[in-house]
Amino acid sequence: MAAAVKADIVERQFLVTGALTRELYDEACLFKDEIDTYTLDKWMKGTSALFVAKLSHVDIVGEVEATDK
């Protein structure tokens, strides 16, 4: 799981592209920000529309860890 999340961040740049590994999330999950709450599909579509992916970049600091929790 940690490797998939790290790949979403590093390789797929999901925070600026909206491209995440759907298998990690329940299709009924919700994403919430300070404005609204979004379904998985709406979050992915909305996030991809917010940024110019080729001009945006996200880096992580430290390792991604997964636990039983």
Side-chain angles (χ1 to χ4, degrees):
M1 181 181 288
V5 171
K6 184 174 182 177
D8 279 352
I9 298 168
V10 175
E11 297 168 25
R12 287 178 279 289
Q13 293 286 297
F14 88 99
L15 291 171
V16 294
T17 65
L20 50 72
T21 304
R22 289 185 78 119
E23 294 81 15
L24 295 177
Y25 300 88
D26 186 298
E27 288 297 318
C29 74
L30 299 173
F31 292 79
K32 186 174 183 175
D33 65 15
E34 61 277 351
I35 299 170
D36 208 347
T37 301
Y38 309 91
T39 61
L40 179 58
D41 285 331
K42 286 185 179 184
W43 182 87
M44 292 175 75
K45 183 178 179 181
T47 299
S48 69
L50 286 174
F51 301 95
V52 177
K54 291 180 180 182
L55 301 177
S56 303
H57 184 79
V58 174
D59 289 313
I60 58 173
V61 177
E63 289 301 313
V64 176
E65 297 179 16
T67 66
D68 292 340
K69 295 181 181 179

